[in-house]
C-alpha cells in the first residue's frame, strides 16, 4: 500500500485516496472541429510507462482535493507531489 | 516428439524416468524468420502452434524475455467460461471453450481441463438483473448459462453460506456448467512442445529491445541476441504491451495494473466448482493439488511492480469469509502478482496496427487465460493471411477511433 503525502493533510494511507489516472491530458479545445482520431487520443490512448508516471490523485476520504503525483511505476516510489495546473517538476529523468 | 501414453510411461518407469527426452529444444535464433512472435505466454505459444499446424508456416520464432509461461499464463487463477454479454465476446470465448474441450487430446498433453462449473453469485436486485440479462443473451448465442435459487446454489456448492442475514446475502446465481479450470503451466508447455515439434524455434531468456521499421513497414526485432529479421511480427506480451508497442512508435489504449492471487495450504477436496462474485469481488476454486485458489482485484494505479497492495488481498479475503465462513482458519501459503493490460472497454485487441506487418494480440487484462485457445487460433489465422479471422474481426485497434466498442466493462464491472 502506498503512503501518499497529501499536500493539505500530510502523509496518509493509500486507502484514503482515489487514483484519477494519467495527468496533463487536455480536453480538445473545440469539440466540433476535433477529428475522431484526436478524440481517440484524448479519451483512450494512455502512456502506461515503465518508469516515471505523472498521475492525478484525489484525497477522497479526507480533504477531497485533487493533486498531481510523479511516481516510478517499477519501484512504486513517489518522486514528487505537485498542485493541479502546475507543470511537472524537473526530476532529471523521463 | 515422443508421444506420451501408457506404454511410454511404463517403458520410462523401467529406467527410473531418467530417459525422457526434453519436451522442446533451446535453439539459437536464425537471422531471419517468416513470422516472429514476441512473448511466450499461452497466447503466443498457441499462435505459433496453430501457425504450424493449421497454416503450414513453420519458419517461426517465439521470443521470450524470461522463461516460457512465466508471465500471466503462469500466474492466473485459471477460470474458464464463455458467458460474456455481447455477441462478439460470446463468439470468441465460446470458440475458446470448444477448443479447450479437445485440447488434451489435440496436444497429447494433459492440460487438466475440468468442466466443474462456474457459478456467479447475485447479492442484490441489480446483480439479479445483470446476471439474468447475461443468461438470456448467452442462450441466444448458444452458450449455456442457467439461473439457480440460493438453495440450488448451495446444493451445487455446499460450502456456500446462504444465510439471509449475511452482509452480502446470496439471492441467486448464474451457473455455466461447461465452465471450469485448467492447469495453467500445462497449457504453455503443451503448446510449446507441439510448436517445437513442428519446427518452431522458442527462444527463451531473450528480451526484445526494439522493433525495427522501414517507413511504415516492420522489418524485424532487436533482441538481446542481436537483430532478427521478420516478414511479420506479432506482439503478444500482455502487461508489457504498452512498452513493446512503444518500441514501434505505436501508442495504445492500454494501462497496465498489478493483479494478485493467492493460494491456501492444500486440503482434501472440499470445494467442487468455481464461485465468483463480482459485487463483493472474490473468486475461488480448489486446485487438484488441494489448494484453494483465490483471486483478488487490481491495484488502482499503473504499475509494473508485479506485487500489489496488501489492502486488496484483505478486501478479497473478507469477502471470501463472508461467503464461506468455514475457511476462516485456513492458512494462506503464497501470494503473487501479475501485470495485466487493461483496455477501456475490457475487451481484447487482436489484429492489425498502423505499422504494416506488425500485429498485436493484447488487452486481455484480468481475464484472458480462458481465451488462450481461441485467441491463439484466430491470431494464427491473422498472421498467416494478413487479415483477421471473422471471430477477431470486431476486436480491432481502430474501434477506439470509430467508437464501435465491445463494452464488457459496462456489462460486467469486473470480469475474470
Ligand atoms: C493474478 C491473475 C489472475 C488471473 N486470473 C484469470 C482467470 O481466472 N481467468 C482468466 O481467463 N484469466 C485470468 N487472468 C488473466 C490471464 O492470466 C491473462 O489474460 C493471460 O494469461 C495472458 O496470456 P498471454 O499469453 O497473453 O500473456 P503472458 O502469459 O503474460 O505472456 C506474455 C509474455 O511476454 C513476455 N514479454 C514481455 N515483454 C517482452 C519483451 N520485451 N521481449 C520478449 N518477451 C516479452 C513476458 O515475459 C511473458 O512471458 C489472471 C491474471 C492474473 C495476473
Ligand atoms: Zn487531503
Amino acid at each position: 500500500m502506498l503512503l501518499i503525502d497529501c499536500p493539505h493533510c500530510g502523509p496518509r494511507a493509500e486507502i484514503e485516496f482515489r487514483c484519477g489516472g494519467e495527468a496533463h491530458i487536455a480536453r480538445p479545445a473545440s469539440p466540433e472541429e476535433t477529428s475522431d482520431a484526436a478524440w481517440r487520443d484524448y479519451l483512450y490512448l494512455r502512456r502506461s510507462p515503465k518508469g516515471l508516471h505523472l498521475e492525478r490523485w484525489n484525497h477522497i476520504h479526507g480533504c477531497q482535493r485533487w493533486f498531481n503525483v510523479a511516481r516510478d511505476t517499477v519501484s512504486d516510489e513517489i518522486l514528487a507531489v505537485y498542485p493541479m495546473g502546475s507543470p511537472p517538476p524537473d526530476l532529471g529523468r523521463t | 516428439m515422443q508421444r506420451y501414453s501408457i506404454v511410454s510411461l511404463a517403458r520410462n518407469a523401467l529406467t527410473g524416468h531418467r530417459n525422457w527426452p526434453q519436451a522442446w529444444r533451446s535453439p539459437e535464433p536464425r537471422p531471419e524468420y517468416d513470422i516472429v512472435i514476441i512473448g511466450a505466454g499461452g497466447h503466443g505459444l498457441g499462435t505459433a502452434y496453430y501457425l504450424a499446424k493449421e497454416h503450414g508456416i513453420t519458419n517461426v520464432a517465439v521470443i521470450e524475455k524470461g522463461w516460457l509461461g512465466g508471465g500471466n499464463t503462469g500466474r492466473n487463477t485459471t477460470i474458464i467460461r464463455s458467458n460474456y454479454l455481447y455477441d462478439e465476446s460470446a463468439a470468441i470465448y465460446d470458440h475458446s471453450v470448444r477448443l479447450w474441450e479437445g485440447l488434451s487430446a489435440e496436444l497429447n498433453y494433459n492440460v487438466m481441463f475440468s468442466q466443474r462449473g462456474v457459478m456467479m453469485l447475485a447479492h442484490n436486485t441489480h446483480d439479479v438483473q445483470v446476471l439474468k440479462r447475461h443468461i438470456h443473451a448467452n442462450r441466444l448465442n448458444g452458450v449455456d448459462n442457467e439461473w439457480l435459487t440460493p438453495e440450488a446454489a448451495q446444493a451445487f456448492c455446499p460450502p456456500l453460506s446462504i444465510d439471509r442475514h449475511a452482509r452480502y446475502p446470496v439471492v441467486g446465481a448464474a451457473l455455466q456448467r461447461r465452465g471450469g479450470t485448467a492447469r495453467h503451466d500445462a497449457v504453455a508447455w503443451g503448446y510449446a512442445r507441439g510448436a517445437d515439434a513442428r519446427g518452431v524455434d522458442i527462444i527463451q531468456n531473450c528480451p526484445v529491445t526494439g522493433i525495427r521499421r522501414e517507413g511504415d513497414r516492420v522489418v524485424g526485432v532487436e533482441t538481446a541476441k542481436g537483430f532478427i529479421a521478420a516478414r511479420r511480427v506479432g506482439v503478444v506480451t500482455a502487461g508489457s504491451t504498452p512498452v513493446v508497442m512503444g518500441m514501434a512508435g505505436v501508442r495504445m489504449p492500454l494501462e497496465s495494473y498489478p493483479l494478485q492471487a493467492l493460494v491456501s495450504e492444500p486440503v482434501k477436496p472440499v470445494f467442487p466448482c468455481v464461485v465468483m462474485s463480482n459485487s463483493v469481488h472474490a473468486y475461488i476454486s480448489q486446485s487438484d493439488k488441494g489448494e484453494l485458489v483465490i483471486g483478488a482485484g487490481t491495484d488502482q494505479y499503473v504499475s509494473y511492480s508485479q506485487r500489489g497492495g496488501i489492502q486488496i488481498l484483505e478486501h478479497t479475503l473478507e469477502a471470501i469469509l463472508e461467503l464461506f465462513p468455514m475457511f476462516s482458519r485456513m492458512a494462506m501459503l503464497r501470494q503473487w502478482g501479475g501485470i495485466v493490460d487493461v483496455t477501456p472497454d475490457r475487451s481484447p485487441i487482436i489484429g492489425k496496427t498502423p505499422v504494416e506487418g506488425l500485429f498485436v494480440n493484447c488487452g486481455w487484462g484480468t481475464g484472458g487465460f480462458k481465451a488462450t485457445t481461441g485467441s491463439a487460433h484466430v491470431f494464427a489465422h491473422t498472421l498467416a493471411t494478413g487479415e483477421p479471422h471473422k471471430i477477431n474481426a470486431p476486436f480491432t485497434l481502430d474501434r477506439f477511433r470509430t467508437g464501435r466498442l465491445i463494452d464488457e466493462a459496462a456489462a460486467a464491472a469486473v470480469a475474470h
Side-chain angles (χ1 to χ4, degrees):
Chain A
M1 188 182 331
L2 302 180
L3 181 65
I4 300 173
D5 196 4
C6 172
H8 314 289
C9 313
R12 298 292 182 91
E14 181 199 327
I15 46 172
E16 294 187 12
F17 297 85
R18 178 77 46 81
C19 185
E22 186 175 327
H24 308 292
I25 299 175
R27 187 180 161 84
S30 41
E32 323 68 55
E33 289 150 38
T34 301
S35 68
D36 289 352
W39 276 117
R40 170 202 58 206
D41 295 359
Y42 164 70
L43 288 170
Y44 300 127
L45 297 196
R46 295 294 177 265
R47 294 180 54 239
S48 196
K50 198 167 186 171
L52 176 65
H53 192 228
L54 305 173
E55 60 201 15
R56 303 170 304 173
W57 285 81
N58 185 294
H59 193 185
I60 188 123
H61 300 299
C63 63
Q64 300 192 350
R65 288 204 261 179
W66 287 94
F67 55 94
N68 289 316
V69 166
R71 184 175 53 85
D72 185 318
T73 61
V74 178
S75 64
D76 287 339
E77 184 188 357
I78 293 177
L79 305 167
V81 174
Y82 59 100
M84 298 303 286
S86 319
D90 182 10
L91 296 162
R93 50 185 288 185
T94 50
Chain B
M1 181 179 98
Q2 163 155 32
R3 281 189 68 78
Y4 299 149
S5 68
I6 184 79
V7 179
S8 68
L9 191 62
R11 195 179 312 117
N12 279 282
L14 292 176
T15 52
H17 295 295
R18 277 185 300 269
N19 296 329
W20 286 103
Q22 284 205 325
W24 52 78
R25 298 162 298 134
S26 295
E28 284 303 308
R30 295 198 282 259
E32 189 176 338
Y33 290 92
D34 289 337
I35 297 177
V36 160
I37 294 165
I38 309 176
H43 289 240
L45 292 165
T47 304
Y49 173 82
Y50 291 116
L51 273 172
K53 162 123 195 289
E54 311 248 307
H55 304 279
I57 302 175
T58 55
N59 186 22
V60 174
V62 186
I63 303 182
E64 165 58 46
K65 73 173 173 190
W67 64 95
L68 67 85
N72 292 345
T73 299
R75 295 163 185 270
N76 83 96
T77 51
T78 77
I79 297 175
I80 294 170
R81 62 185 180 86
S82 58
N83 51 357
Y84 283 71
L85 184 64
Y86 291 108
D87 297 353
E88 297 87 343
S89 317
I92 193 162
Y93 290 106
D94 212 53
H95 181 51
S96 302
V97 169
R98 282 195 296 268
L99 287 170
W100 277 112
E101 286 170 343
L103 194 63
S104 291
E106 154 107 32
L107 295 176
N108 177 234
Y109 205 104
N110 186 2
V111 300
M112 295 163 75
F113 181 47
S114 159
Q115 290 175 298
R116 57 186 68 180
V118 173
M119 192 164 75
M120 298 172 108
L121 302 178
H123 301 285
N124 51 46
T125 309
H126 176 74
D127 287 351
V128 173
Q129 287 168 350
V130 169
L131 288 183
K132 287 195 170 168
R133 182 179 175 213
H134 275 72
I135 289 172
H136 296 315
N138 293 155
R139 289 190 161 186
L140 287 171
N141 278 315
V143 174
D144 73 302
N145 201 358
E146 64 197 80
W147 180 251
L148 301 183
T149 61
E151 291 72 24
Q154 195 186 42
F156 189 72
C157 182
L160 179 68
S161 163
I162 54 169
D163 183 350
R164 300 229 172 267
H165 305 291
R167 183 156 169 215
Y168 303 105
V170 173
V171 297
L175 172 63
Q176 184 177 27
R177 292 183 192 270
R178 286 163 65 239
T181 58
R183 164 89 193 162
H184 48 4
D185 292 328
V187 179
W189 297 340
Y191 274 132
R193 174 167 164 267
D196 176 88
R198 287 171 173 79
V200 171
D201 285 353
I202 303 168
I203 320 281
Q204 300 183 72
N205 297 310
C206 181
V208 168
T209 53
I211 295 179
R212 197 185 287 178
R213 288 170 55 164
E214 270 169 21
D216 278 341
R217 263 206 77 76
V218 70
V219 294
V221 295
E222 317 282 351
T223 77
K225 300 190 174 191
F227 176 72
I228 301 173
R231 273 193 316 117
R232 287 187 179 144
V233 173
V235 175
V236 200
T237 49
S240 298
T241 306
V243 178
V244 175
M245 289 301 288
M247 295 172 188
V250 180
R251 288 178 68 205
M252 296 295 289
L254 290 174
E255 286 189 309
S256 291
Y257 303 100
L259 177 69
Q260 299 176 75
L262 69 166
V263 293
S264 73
E265 57 190 331
V267 291
K268 288 188 176 171
V270 285
F271 204 81
C273 59
V274 181
V275 173
M276 309 176 57
S277 167
N278 285 349
S279 292
V280 301
H281 208 289
Y283 45 103
I284 180 168
S285 65
Q286 187 176 20
S287 75
D288 292 340
K289 269 195 288 182
E291 302 154 327
L292 296 179
V293 181
I294 298 171
T298 62
D299 280 296
Q300 55 171 332
Y301 47 81
V302 170
S303 176
Y304 292 85
S305 65
Q306 280 200 151
R307 277 195 301 270
I310 190 81
Q311 79 279 14
I312 310 273
L313 286 183
E314 258 177 41
H315 177 77
T316 292
L317 291 174
E318 282 164 9
I320 292 285
L321 293 187
E322 268 293 310
L323 300 170
F324 308 102
M326 67 182 269
F327 294 142
S328 67
R329 310 298 289 268
M330 286 288 267
M332 292 296 144
L333 281 195
R334 294 192 305 283
Q335 167 276 348
W336 63 89
I339 302 299
V340 296
D341 49 331
V342 176
T343 58
D345 61 1
R346 303 297 188 274
S347 288
I349 300 165
I350 318 164
K352 298 180 187 183
T353 71
V355 182
E356 210 189 314
L358 181 67
F359 297 81
V360 71
N361 183 348
C362 67
W364 290 100
T366 59
F369 178 73
K370 62 177 70 66
T372 305
T373 49
S375 149
H377 186 253
V378 298
F379 195 50
H381 175 101
T382 309
L383 281 173
T385 63
E387 292 299 325
H389 187 283
K390 73 174 187 319
I391 289 181
N392 66 312
F395 294 93
T396 60
L397 177 56
D398 200 41
R399 74 179 184 270
F400 297 97
R401 184 185 61 84
T402 62
R404 183 67 180 83
L405 305 187
I406 304 163
D407 202 350
E408 293 291 341
V414 276
H416 293 280

